[in-house]
Amino acid sequence: MKGEEFLREYLDWSDLIKMTLAAEPLNAEPLSVAPKGIVVLGMGGSGIVGDVLYSLSTERLETPLTVVKDFRLPRWVDDGWLTLAVSYSGNTVETLACVDEALKRGSQVVVVASGGKLTELSMLKRLPYFRVPSGRTPRSSFPALLLGAVKLLSSLGINLREASELDVVEVFKSEEALKLGDELAGKLLSRLPVFISATKYYPLALRAKDEFNENTKTIAKAEVYPEGFHNDVVGWEGWRDPVSAVIFKERGDRTLEFLKELLAEAGVDTHTYELDGGYLQNVIRWSQVVGIASVNLALRLGIDPKETRFIAKYKEFLRSSDQLE
Ligand code: F6R
């Protein structure tokens, strides 16, 4: 069955990671002048890379890094900024519009893609470029997009990873992810999933939400804490719908422990997963688990996990629309 083949695109992440770590970016040399700031472009499955890089940057960079998921670049991005465009297809309209604007403003543009217009542009203008394997979906290519971006930035002299961190992500146990994913799918059957994390792990909660949206075709939510203690938590006081809370929590995170107590008091069906590796390792490993869980749940429900009909319709709408010309 088609969906089962798609599951393999999540189970082969170990090989995908090895291939990505072995590949080298093109046209990439250390920048002669450090950028004033870095803007990361990308939508959906490609855009999540920007969220991870943002979280890493808050602890590991002196340079500000911001994420744009829109048609327009902020006014303050100028020729002193580095623009990293991530698009699996290389054809995403929002990303292309910002790249066009960044080039006009004289910003150095660098690209992660598997093909499309962004690849053509990179070849034409000899832009620093990392090519990821084609023929997959953006979401099942997540480790390639993320590690490709980390490698590309590192070859420009911007180091977002801790020593040996990339070696650690190589050691993946797909059988374990399959087991955890199957279990999580069972827990979320006929329930609306709410993925919760600390701010630092927002990209993981968002990844999980997006995976359930796209693979399982269900509404899902991502919430981050401590911000959630100022709003979301009150919603749990009076929850009525068949919802489940899935918490991704670092060991020793006392605020999320406290949240668990509140959810238990409110009788919420809650599942907690402990994150106990390095940051990149945790994000990739648990993204694999939620990817598998969302595909597994789709298969149980007789849904095609791969097809994303409304995204395709939106892209068709953009192609046929002249509002954006
Ligand atoms: C995920 C998915 C979408 C795309 C998004 C942007 O699998 O299909 O979220 O990632 O529409 O497209 P790309 O990634 O090609 O830039």
Side-chain angles (χ1 to χ4, degrees), residues 13-52:
W13 277 18
S14 182
D15 292 338
L16 189 60
I17 290 167
K18 281 183 199 143
M19 272 167 69
T20 308
L21 295 181
E24 287 305 327
L26 292 178
N27 311 324
E29 279 173 18
L31 299 169
S32 47
V33 183
K36 271 201 294 203
I38 302 166
V39 58
V40 188
L41 312 173
M43 306 301 291
S46 297
I48 203 88
V49 171
D51 299 309
V52 178

Side-chain angles (χ1 to χ4, degrees), residues 43-46 87-89 92 137-139 214 311 315:
M43 306 301 291
S46 297
S87 169
Y88 184 75
S89 63
T92 296
T137 61
R139 55 194 183 279
E214 293 182 36
I311 296 180
K315 291 189 177 179

